[in-house]
Amino acid sequence: MSFPSLLPVAALPFPEIDPVLVQIGPLAIHWYGLAYVAGIVFAWWYARRLVSNPRLWPDGTLPMKPQDIDDFVMWAAVGVVLGGRIGYVLFYDFARYIANPADIFAVWQGGMSFHGGILGTTIAMYLFARSRGIRPWSLFDVVAAGVPVGLGLGRLANFINSELWGRTSDVSWAVLFPNGGPLPRHPSQLYEGLLEGIVLFLVLRLLTHSWLKLKAPRFVSGAFICGYGLSRIFVEFFREPDAHIGYLLGNWLTMGMLLSLPMVLLGIWAMATAKALPRSAKA
């Protein structure tokens, strides 16, 4: 199908939403930054509820105290930010940052990798769990259960920022992005927000509260990792790859797919090998 024949009026107009929510003098609060904060706060609140509900755990024995979740929040924030930034530098634009090392610290210019963020958070969770005598997989499960909400909010902020848009398309819901050229594009940020945010959260909620999978350490973590990987791979078929990277193979394989495939395999392994704890064991 020839996209040049498409008329912009056939596409949905981009909503007039300022990426800056509030600005007071030089201080600006961006939707993207607010999404990060809201995601962390929700994950903290949700994790506290999970570790306060004896019905979800073997023998009704809670795996940790709500205060442990309070103390972990700062660890998580550092892991997300450092991991996300370092991951973007290494995986997506290494040549640029090697040429201009000072730009690594210019986080206000954008550039965060989810894959790097989850790796940084995983390291933080492991170190924190070991320092508190908590079973690491139980902490992974508790944190993973609430993460999708933050992912969904982050993708919505990407849409507001008119970034990470999709490939050109003639579907009736295609959007004309301000900086996406003259042709309509898939709103792939919203696809990701729906799958990685709403759908994945509901699936994990079913696993934790209906199937009681928190009683089998690493099953919920595995479902999250696998679910995110599958969602990301699917949406990559509609998302425009980064211009400085392009396609890694043919006209379909992207860096996002390549980084997500190991997540799918790891998630399948975690779910397949997860076993319910003996009733007398600590969670």
Side-chain angles (χ1 to χ4, degrees), residues 87-98 242 244-245:
Y88 184 83
V89 171
L90 294 178
F91 301 145
Y92 288 96
D93 213 352
F94 186 68
R96 170 198 166 188
Y97 290 107
I98 284 298
D242 292 341
H244 60 281
I245 297 179

Side-chain angles (χ1 to χ4, degrees), residues 90-273:
L90 294 178
F91 301 145
Y92 288 96
D93 213 352
F94 186 68
R96 170 198 166 188
Y97 290 107
I98 284 298
N100 303 280
D103 286 352
I104 294 176
F105 304 99
V107 294
W108 56 88
Q109 296 178 359
M112 296 288 284
S113 163
F114 169 80
H115 298 91
I118 194 172
L119 181 59
T121 306
T122 299
I123 294 173
M125 284 189 288
Y126 179 79
L127 294 176
F128 181 83
R130 300 302 296 180
S131 71
R132 294 294 178 94
I134 297 170
R135 186 184 295 272
W137 279 112
S138 289
L139 181 59
F140 294 170
D141 291 342
V142 165
V143 173
V147 167
V149 170
L151 295 181
L153 292 174
R155 294 311 180 189
L156 183 59
N158 290 146
F159 179 79
I160 293 174
N161 289 348
S162 184
E163 60 188 4
L164 306 182
W165 20 255
R167 307 182 194 187
T168 54
S169 173
D170 62 348
V171 296
S172 60
W173 58 87
V175 175
L176 279 170
F177 288 93
N179 55 351
L183 300 178
R185 294 179 175 275
H186 281 288
S188 57
Q189 314 97 319
L190 301 184
Y191 302 169
E192 287 193 75
L194 175 63
L195 292 176
E196 301 168 7
I198 298 175
V199 174
L200 187 53
F201 175 76
L202 292 177
V203 169
L204 297 181
R205 174 76 180 189
L206 179 67
L207 293 177
T208 57
H209 287 72
S210 296
W211 294 0
L212 302 179
K213 286 299 184 178
L214 287 173
K215 295 185 178 184
R218 75 169 166 261
F219 192 97
V220 174
S221 301
F224 166 74
I225 296 170
C226 182
Y228 174 85
L230 290 174
S231 299
R232 180 65 181 269
I233 290 172
F234 174 77
V235 175
E236 285 289 315
F237 284 102
F238 303 94
R239 176 175 165 174
E240 185 82 8
D242 292 341
H244 60 281
I245 297 179
Y247 295 102
L248 303 182
L249 180 65
N251 196 39
W252 62 277
L253 183 64
T254 66
M255 179 62 78
M257 291 179 181
L258 192 63
L259 294 175
S260 297
L261 181 58
M263 296 183 67
V264 174
L265 299 177
L266 178 60
I268 292 174
W269 167 82
M271 289 186 288
T273 58

